Amino acid sequence: MTTALVTGASAGIGREFCEQLAARGHDLVVVARRAERLEEIKAEIEARHGVKVEVLAADLAVADDLRRVAERVCRRDEPVDVLVNNAGFGVKTSFLDTPVEKEIESVDVMVKAVVVLTHAAAGAMVERRRGAVINVSSVASFMASGTYSAAKSYVTVFSESIAAQLHGTGVTVTALCPGFTHTEFHERGEIPVDKTSPLAKRLWLDVDRLVRDGLADVDAGKVVSVPGRQYKAITGLLRVVPRPLVRSPRLSNRHRPRD
């Protein structure tokens, strides 16, 4: 029996990762801030899939909490075979309209925690010569759409870099780059999005298909996973268009993909 640790496990993409990894037979360590919600997930998944679920309540923006999760990730007596760095952070205002403390907190969750936990997991996995790290990034990582986009750009390039360094060790690293996905993320963050126009309906992804496609790419050893044909086309275009167009104020302010 193998174990997967999922951050941001209480809702959305993280919750779906828990469901699908448990269906594959993985025991789970579920990480999020809301302990009561994690206990509910534990009961649901253990009853449905017959796996063991360990609850680890932690706020990854808090140094002591991040340290506790890192210590769990690299434990040798109860090894973690799959790490899903999924915890997200939404900022609905522009850079200068956002308190700098909130911007720093977002970097702590979306960048620092990814680095710390990947370092802890990969070190232990390389010793065992097996394991997978999944860093949930975003289609926004190919754009210039505020500090969220900048943070996710780091996650994508970081994942590519570490994947190259770990080549041949038996440990894989994959950056999963979703676009707009049907979860409660935008509503909880009070981030305005269009879900009703004909174009918007073509862009939104179902979370179960997103995670299924992402796991298939991990199984195939892909370093960057972009689920959805529409987003494969968009990211392919963003890789080749001139950067002045990518950082156009109209594009930056209006298009906010989110994992």
Side-chain angles (χ1 to χ4, degrees):
M1 185 71 73
T2 56
T3 299
L5 185 146
V6 182
T7 70
S10 62
I13 292 174
R15 175 66 179 84
E16 185 63 27
F17 262 112
C18 293
E19 190 69 32
Q20 294 196 26
L21 288 167
R24 288 180 167 211
H26 292 282
D27 287 337
L28 297 175
V29 181
V30 291
V31 180
R33 292 178 298 172
R34 296 181 289 171
E36 67 283 358
R37 177 58 184 144
L38 293 178
E39 291 292 347
E40 293 172 4
I41 291 170
K42 170 184 170 71
E44 293 167 4
I45 290 181
E46 287 184 338
R48 185 155 44 246
H49 299 290
V51 299
K52 175 185 174 183
V53 180
E54 176 184 342
V55 168
L56 181 51
D59 182 344
L60 298 182
V62 176
D64 285 346
D65 283 10
L66 177 58
R67 175 186 50 77
R68 287 193 297 110
V69 179
E71 289 173 350
R72 178 62 187 88
V73 165
C74 63
R75 279 176 58 177
R76 285 166 173 75
D77 57 331
E78 295 182 284
V80 168
D81 304 278
V82 180
L83 168 65
V84 183
N85 280 314
N86 168 75
F89 196 102
V91 178
K92 64 179 179 179
T93 49
S94 63
F95 180 62
L96 292 182
D97 291 331
T98 305
V100 70
E101 294 81 7
K102 193 173 186 70
E103 291 285 2
I104 293 171
E105 187 178 359
S106 74
V107 172
D108 284 344
V109 172
M110 293 191 293
V111 176
K112 179 182 176 181
V114 170
V115 172
V116 169
L117 298 183
T118 299
H119 189 278
M125 290 174 179
V126 167
E127 289 184 4
R128 301 191 301 272
R129 300 198 65 78
R130 71 177 189 276
V133 176
I134 305 168
N135 292 327
V136 179
S137 183
S138 174
V139 168
S141 69
F142 300 94
M143 304 173 62
S145 184
T147 51
Y148 177 84
S149 176
K152 291 303 186 181
S153 294
Y154 182 97
V155 172
T156 297
V157 177
F158 169 74
S159 300
E160 291 179 295
S161 301
I162 305 308
Q165 292 182 30
L166 297 182
H167 180 72
T169 65
V171 180
T172 64
V173 180
T174 301
L176 175 61
C177 300
F180 288 118
T181 304
H182 288 295
T183 69
E184 67 274 36
F185 173 82
H186 295 91
E187 289 77 7
R188 287 171 56 193
E190 299 180 357
I191 300 171
V193 292
D194 176 13
K195 294 186 179 182
T196 59
S197 71
L199 175 60
K201 290 179 179 179
R202 294 190 185 96
L203 289 176
W204 284 84
L205 302 171
D206 292 328
V207 69
D208 57 340
R209 179 64 182 272
L210 162 70
V211 172
R212 188 176 304 112
D213 289 351
L215 287 174
D217 284 345
V218 173
D219 293 340
K222 289 189 177 181
V223 176
V224 177
S225 170
V226 182
R229 286 179 294 180
Q230 65 274 52
Y231 287 111
K232 285 181 171 64
I234 290 171
T235 55
L237 181 62
L238 288 170
R239 288 179 184 271
V240 298
V241 298
R243 289 300 292 179
L245 180 59
V246 172
R247 56 179 182 262
S248 161
R250 290 182 62 191
L251 187 64
S252 175
N253 292 337
R254 295 182 60 186
H255 191 71
R256 285 173 165 260
R258 160 58 184 153
D259 48 310

